[in-house]
Amino acid sequence: MAEINLKFLTWAGILCCLIWSGFAQQAGSDCIKANAKSCGECIQAGPKCGWCKKTDFLQEGEPTSARCDDLEALRNKGCPMEDIENPRGSKQVLEDREVTNRKIGAAEKLKPEAITQIQPQKLVLKLRVGEPQTFSLKFKRAEDYPIDLYYLMDLSYSMKDDLENVKSLGTALMQEMQKITSDFRIGFGSFVEKTVMPYISTTPAKLRNPCTGDQNCTSPFSYKNVLSLTSEGNRFNELVGKQHISGNLDSPEGGFDAIMQVAVCGDQIGWRNVTRLLVFSTDAGFHFAGDGKLGGIVLPNDGKCHLENNVYTMSHYYDYPSIAHLVQKLSENNIQTIFAVTEEFQAVYKELKNLIPKSAVGTLSSNSSNVIQLIIDAYNSLSSEVILENSKLPKGVAISYKSYCKNGVNDTQEDGRKCSNISIGDEVRFEINVTAYECPKKGQNETIKIKPLGFTEEVEINLQFICECQCQSEGEPNSPACHEGNGTFECGACRCNEGRIGRLCECSTDEVNSEDMDAYCRRENSTEICSNNGECICGQCVCKKRENTNEVYSGKYCECDNFNCDRSNGLICGGNGICKCRVCECFPNFTGSACDCSLDTTPCMASNGQICNGRGTCECGTCNCTDPKFQGPTCEMCQTCLGVCAEHKDCVQCRAFNKGEKKETCSQECMHFNMTRVESRDKLPQPGQPDPLSHCKEKDVDDCWFYFTYSVNSNGEANVHVVETPECPSGPDIIPIVAGVVAGIVLIGLALLLIWKLLMIIHDRREFAKFEKEKMNAKWDTQENPIYKSPINNFKNPNYGRKAGL
């Protein structure tokens, strides 16, 4: 069992090494494939790439790009760690205010900007290409957080009864919201439709009063800001009470125009940097981008504020906004929308809700009597969910989220941006990864922002890209080391000026294809340029790179390599030497063309201290037995010699069955072999295996036979396999014998009786048949029998016939 475990661990280790070397080779391949001419290009090839700035690092024929490789390969090639440029990314938190712990009704009154719900607030990330930087973002929903609520109402004629209920909304809603926050403000706006045909009637009479009959309606309008945000609920009731219903011709309303103005006209509406709620109340559908063409309006909505005297004045000039445009503006201004619509249009606005983040839909009763409860329920729904969004990312930058929500709920990818079922005072955490996959062209810094949807607070992240090495700032322009100043000497190599090439910038681009230069790249009596293993640049061979970064061409003519040496056991130079210019240079104690011959005689040492037991010679660490009778790694096994089984009999007996002559000294004298128990003789090792094997059958102290095998493997380890149950002779069993004898006697007696009975029956039948035959052959009957005498006798009475009285 110990041997099996050892083999398993050995193969597992080899497999792990192969896997790791495969990964390292792939990383090195990426670095080599980048063909980096400078340290900056190298570190942009991948996070595992490093640049060796050691001046004499390159071998003859190697290009400058060979300085770029994975760190392990550079160290193996002889580059000291202090000469490897490998800058790493980092993060630095610049602003990290703790989230606010504040309860409703607290004595202190904080300004909205003094309340913190997200942490940290500002940080710097230094990004290297391919290396992610991670930071943790904490969000805590503060108690008593200020709320601004703007009520935007459809004042078309169908909303007449709703207006009556909304007139008292201000004070009632203020009272309810006081339970949530002590800092609440409310505003009111109304909308109808664009003031052009075919949305309204443009006849003078209809423009004055669009309603029919004796209804007194106000002139149609697109959007009015009736009341900017205020904390005076009575003021709300007063101004809303003065509003009148208007009218239009078509069923869809121009609510999108009104929503756009409410979102972008922050100064006129009076939005603060607090929770912003927009309640949109209607009993109809909506127009959107493109519908303006019906009225001859083709200019797309510009998304800007056009309020004059609190009235939208450009409804006849700009088309309705698109849904995507609304989403953008609502998100930019941190406005959460509550659609309070009648049952008839629930399906339409639920689809709209799915397109607008941080929005909710509530069912409005026919006369808006339930609007307060609708607002409270929608607010609780919106505030119980936090969704992170980020600003537009620079090119080549990616971001990912992982959420750590309540009750151990964790999510990644798109769901990693949000947490649900958050109550006031709950704290959740997000893990955010930012990764750069390329450097900006100009290398300038970038800024991105992350914020929870519907909240004004945000995290500002300054991205600084690591696109150059530190040693490049120490470069020497027009250095004499670069062929009379034709380049900048930096990071141990020359960065050539424009128009110059070569390792030392010794050639101009005009000289590259010159045939005279090629003559310097051919070996004597050879027509091959750089041995077909490289290209000739400036009269010097620049050797090719191989996909496996550990395999390198070198030499003045690229005639050498380190991978075409003889192999042993699948390894170059048997793993016991270094391949230099296609010839193995063996480590000490190894020789041979593949370094596969060990000069160490220790493996050949027998247990008696002799090399190969005195019966062979040690060649390359292996015994060559000269006596054909002896085998094994040290010529100690003799299958035809007597004594192998007898020699180990007592030790096997004491270890396997705890008996025998060596029972008391077993642990001292009998631990020189590995023992394995098997169930039966069939499971003992059989002839044909590589290790010499002896099959043994011996008798133990109880006159029982036990079976075992003895072998020695190539490592000199003795292995014994023994059948776990000895074969012992057993005495006679009396009861079955007696029972068998008795049963035999009884059976024999019964058989004899049956035979006798059968014979008697046969005999009687024969006698009876004989009698019947004789009876049939008789010549007389009973009346002709001469000796027959009748049994009847006649006697005459002498007195018969005489008269009486005589």
Side-chain angles (χ1 to χ4, degrees):
M1 183 61 69
E3 180 188 3
I4 294 173
N5 291 337
L6 180 61
K7 288 183 177 179
F8 174 77
L9 292 174
T10 303
W11 281 107
I14 293 173
L15 182 60
C16 291
C17 291
L18 290 173
I19 294 173
W20 172 254
S21 63
F23 283 133
Q25 178 177 329
Q26 179 62 39
S29 177
D30 292 338
C31 302
I32 291 293
K33 286 179 180 178
N35 199 28
K37 299 296 191 298
S38 66
C39 185
E41 292 180 10
C42 178
I43 63 173
Q44 293 180 46
K48 296 183 180 179
C49 298
W51 177 272
C52 183
K53 61 182 181 181
K54 184 180 178 183
T55 306
D56 57 350
F57 171 71
L58 296 178
Q59 299 181 29
E60 188 175 18
E62 283 192 296
T64 303
S65 58
R67 292 180 177 274
C68 181
D69 210 333
D70 72 276
L71 306 182
E72 186 65 28
L74 291 176
R75 285 195 293 268
N76 292 338
K77 291 178 182 178
C79 186
M81 282 300 298
E82 60 270 16
D83 285 333
I84 297 177
E85 284 285 324
N86 181 36
R88 313 311 301 177
S90 63
K91 66 177 179 182
Q92 180 185 5
V93 178
L94 302 181
E95 193 174 337
D96 193 27
R97 296 190 310 274
E98 288 290 335
V99 292
T100 303
N101 291 312
R102 179 189 182 214
K103 296 188 179 295
I104 191 168
E108 59 172 340
K109 295 295 181 182
L110 298 177
K111 293 182 178 181
E113 55 270 18
I115 300 175
T116 302
Q117 298 184 108
I118 192 168
Q119 181 187 359
Q121 294 79 40
K122 192 174 184 178
L123 65 157
V124 174
L125 297 182
K126 292 186 177 180
L127 300 178
R128 178 175 170 181
V129 172
E131 180 187 33
Q133 290 299 316
T134 304
F135 69 94
S136 183
L137 184 150
K138 183 164 61 176
F139 177 86
K140 183 176 183 180
R141 191 177 156 205
E143 292 191 42
D144 197 22
Y145 194 70
I147 299 174
D148 283 353
L149 185 145
Y150 192 85
Y151 196 92
L152 182 60
M153 183 175 181
D154 176 9
L155 285 188
S156 60
Y157 186 76
S158 58
M159 294 287 286
K160 180 180 179 181
D161 54 345
D162 300 81
L163 180 59
E164 295 302 319
N165 286 319
V166 173
K167 288 179 180 179
S168 60
L169 177 65
T171 52
L173 186 58
M174 290 286 285
Q175 291 174 359
E176 288 296 325
M177 295 302 289
Q178 288 291 336
K179 300 175 183 178
I180 298 174
T181 177
S182 60
D183 188 356
F184 176 72
R185 299 197 311 166
I186 189 170
F188 183 81
S190 58
F191 66 91
V192 181
E193 188 54 276
K194 287 185 180 296
T195 54
V196 296
M197 283 288 288
Y199 312 109
I200 66 168
S201 175
T202 56
T203 61
K206 289 295 184 182
L207 286 176
R208 289 190 300 269
N209 183 2
C211 300
T212 59
D214 57 352
Q215 298 293 332
N216 186 20
C217 297
T218 188
S219 299
F221 57 91
S222 177
Y223 162 67
K224 284 182 184 179
N225 174 32
V226 178
L227 175 65
S228 298
L229 291 162
T230 178
S231 58
E232 300 176 9
N234 292 328
R235 178 72 174 157
F236 181 94
N237 293 348
E238 177 186 347
L239 290 179
V240 175
K242 296 178 181 180
Q243 301 304 304
H244 296 283
I245 292 297
S246 185
N248 62 317
L249 295 178
D250 60 342
S251 175
E253 313 295 0
F256 277 15
D257 274 341
I259 293 176
M260 178 61 76
Q261 293 304 299
V262 171
V264 299
C265 298
D267 294 337
Q268 290 88 333
I269 302 299
W271 293 117
R272 298 177 295 171
N273 286 331
V274 297
T275 299
R276 299 175 177 181
L277 299 178
L278 170 61
V279 180
F280 181 84
S281 176
T282 183
D283 64 350
F286 48 83
H287 285 295
F288 53 90
D291 288 353
K293 292 181 181 180
L294 295 173
I297 303 172
V298 295
L299 284 178
N301 195 288
D302 64 351
K304 296 180 180 179
C305 182
H306 297 288
L307 290 185
E308 293 183 11
N309 297 322
N310 287 322
V311 177
Y312 180 40
T313 59
M314 302 297 286
S315 68
H316 64 286
Y317 191 75
Y318 289 115
D319 193 6
Y320 301 100
S322 66
I323 295 175
H325 200 180
L326 275 184
V327 170
Q328 177 191 355
K329 293 302 179 182
L330 290 171
S331 177
E332 285 179 1
N333 293 280
N334 305 306
I335 296 174
Q336 304 177 60
T337 310
I338 301 172
F339 295 105
V341 297
T342 55
E343 182 69 34
E344 180 183 358
F345 289 94
Q346 280 286 303
V348 174
Y349 282 90
K350 283 183 179 179
E351 290 296 327
L352 182 61
K353 166 191 170 293
N354 294 334
L355 301 175
I356 301 179
K358 293 294 283 186
S359 63
V361 177
T363 303
L364 190 68
S365 62
S366 59
N367 58 1
S368 296
S369 58
N370 68 331
V371 68
I372 293 179
Q373 189 59 46
L374 185 152
I375 292 173
I376 297 296
D377 292 343
Y379 169 74
N380 289 332
S381 174
L382 289 173
S383 58
S384 67
E385 182 177 59
V386 58
I387 303 174
L388 297 184
E389 69 165 357
N390 51 266
S391 59
K392 184 178 179 181
L393 298 173
K395 183 181 179 183
V397 175
I399 190 168
S400 63
Y401 298 84
K402 183 175 183 180
S403 59
Y404 296 87
C405 306
K406 287 177 59 178
N407 303 322
V409 178
N410 302 335
D411 274 312
T412 56
Q413 299 180 352
E414 281 304 310
D415 288 337
R417 292 174 174 264
K418 65 181 179 180
C419 283
S420 302
N421 301 320
I422 301 174
S423 304
I424 292 176
D426 287 342
E427 183 176 294
V428 295
R429 186 171 66 87
F430 296 88
E431 190 176 274
I432 303 174
N433 284 327
V434 182
T435 308
Y437 292 101
E438 62 181 65
C439 275
K441 291 183 179 179
K442 296 182 181 179
Q444 73 274 16
N445 297 342
E446 299 280 356
T447 299
I448 61 173
K449 295 180 179 180
I450 299 175
K451 68 175 183 179
L453 278 174
F455 295 85
T456 57
E457 296 176 68
E458 62 188 13
V459 180
E460 182 179 318
I461 307 171
N462 182 252
L463 304 180
Q464 299 178 3
F465 299 90
I466 303 175
C467 301
E468 297 288 347
C469 300
Q470 180 63 34
C471 60
Q472 289 182 260
S473 62
E474 304 167 0
E476 181 185 356
N478 302 320
S479 171
C482 299
H483 197 265
E484 301 177 355
N486 286 316
T488 300
F489 188 77
E490 60 184 27
C491 302
C494 286
R495 180 186 284 190
C496 299
N497 296 335
E498 188 174 354
R500 305 294 297 185
I501 58 174
R503 186 193 290 184
L504 301 177
C505 310
E506 64 271 26
C507 289
S508 68
T509 53
D510 298 333
E511 299 171 333
V512 173
N513 297 321
S514 171
E515 292 184 3
D516 294 336
M517 290 289 181
D518 290 346
Y520 294 102
C521 298
R522 284 194 289 265
R523 300 174 69 179
E524 187 177 355
N525 298 326
S526 175
T527 59
E528 297 178 344
I529 296 177
C530 300
S531 306
N532 288 335
N533 294 325
E535 57 181 330
C536 186
I537 299 178
C538 298
Q540 293 184 345
C541 284
V542 176
C543 301
K544 293 178 183 176
K545 300 173 191 173
R546 290 181 59 84
E547 189 169 338
N548 184 347
T549 57
N550 295 321
E551 299 177 354
V552 178
Y553 289 112
S554 61
K556 182 178 180 180
Y557 303 104
C558 302
E559 73 278 10
C560 296
D561 62 59
N562 65 346
F563 54 87
N564 274 322
C565 291
D566 290 342
R567 296 173 181 255
S568 177
N569 295 326
L571 300 175
I572 296 175
C573 300
N576 302 316
I578 299 174
C579 180
K580 291 186 177 180
C581 204
R582 304 185 180 182
V583 176
C584 285
E585 291 187 3
C586 300
F587 297 147
N589 284 334
F590 288 94
T591 186
S593 62
C595 301
D596 54 351
C597 183
S598 174
L599 301 178
D600 185 11
T601 59
T602 302
C604 299
M605 196 67 67
S607 57
N608 58 10
Q610 293 182 312
I611 293 177
C612 300
N613 198 28
R615 294 185 174 90
T617 58
C618 186
E619 299 175 0
C620 297
T622 303
C623 280
N624 182 16
C625 302
T626 54
D627 189 336
K629 294 188 298 180
F630 287 86
Q631 299 176 341
T634 55
C635 302
E636 293 182 271
M637 288 294 299
C638 180
Q639 289 183 317
T640 59
C641 298
L642 296 176
V644 173
C645 296
E647 179 184 355
H648 300 288
K649 164 188 172 183
D650 293 334
C651 280
V652 173
Q653 188 179 176
C654 79
R655 285 189 60 183
F657 310 112
N658 195 27
K659 57 186 177 181
E661 297 179 1
K662 294 186 178 182
K663 175 181 178 181
E664 303 299 329
T665 59
C666 193
S667 59
Q668 291 81 26
E669 300 181 18
C670 299
M671 305 307 291
H672 57 278
F673 57 81
N674 299 321
M675 188 180 73
T676 304
R677 290 181 173 85
V678 298
E679 294 179 357
S680 63
R681 293 172 61 184
D682 296 336
K683 296 186 178 180
L684 289 172
Q686 300 302 317
Q689 65 175 27
D691 301 330
L693 181 71
S694 294
H695 276 264
C696 301
K697 175 183 177 183
E698 296 292 336
K699 192 174 276 190
D700 63 12
V701 293
D702 298 325
D703 286 334
C704 297
W705 293 103
F706 65 96
Y707 299 87
F708 65 94
T709 61
Y710 184 86
S711 63
V712 180
N713 63 23
S714 58
N715 296 324
E717 296 177 344
N719 295 294
V720 170
H721 290 73
V722 60
V723 178
E724 59 186 6
T725 305
E727 292 182 0
C728 298
S730 57
D733 194 344
I734 302 300
I735 294 176
I737 294 175
V738 172
V741 171
V742 172
I745 293 173
V746 171
L747 291 174
I748 292 172
L750 290 174
L752 292 174
L753 286 174
L754 290 173
I755 294 171
W756 175 82
K757 182 65 176 175
L758 179 64
L759 292 174
M760 290 302 296
I761 291 172
I762 294 172
H763 178 267
D764 289 345
R765 289 184 176 179
R766 285 180 177 176
E767 288 296 322
F768 181 75
K770 182 178 179 183
F771 169 75
E772 288 292 330
K773 184 177 180 182
E774 290 177 351
K775 184 179 178 181
M776 294 295 296
N777 294 333
K779 301 297 184 179
W780 43 265
D781 55 21
T782 55
Q783 293 181 357
E784 297 177 353
N785 190 349
I787 62 174
Y788 175 74
K789 186 176 181 178
S790 173
I792 302 173
N793 294 316
N794 293 318
F795 294 95
K796 188 174 179 179
N797 190 349
N799 293 318
Y800 179 73
R802 290 181 176 179
K803 293 182 179 180
L806 291 177

